[in-house]
Amino acid sequence: MVVKGMLPVKKLALICNPVFIMLLGQLLNLIVEGADSGTESLGWLLMYLVCAMKLTDGERT
């Protein structure tokens, strides 16, 4: 939907979100072994949050 232009999210977000979450997970794994188990869910949550914010941006009054 982002690539087709249906969602007004920058295409750079397709690259930055997974890379950022991967780096965060690796950093957490270096600090505490096994602490990166929740970073995939965090990535999905951030993606849905950005999409929801962009879709409801025009509806604010």
Side-chain angles (χ1 to χ4, degrees), residues 18-30:
V19 170
F20 174 74
I21 296 300
M22 180 192 67
L23 291 174
L24 179 64
Q26 291 300 320
L27 178 66
L28 287 174
N29 201 25
L30 287 174

Side-chain angles (χ1 to χ4, degrees), residues 17-60:
N17 187 24
V19 170
F20 174 74
I21 296 300
M22 180 192 67
L23 291 174
L24 179 64
Q26 291 300 320
L27 178 66
L28 287 174
N29 201 25
L30 287 174
I31 295 170
V32 177
E33 185 68 32
D36 64 338
S37 61
T39 55
E40 182 180 356
S41 299
L42 179 62
W44 283 104
L45 177 67
L46 288 176
M47 181 181 67
Y48 287 132
L49 182 64
V50 167
C51 288
M53 288 172 54
K54 288 294 184 177
L55 288 173
T56 59
D57 191 34
E59 298 179 10
R60 293 185 186 167

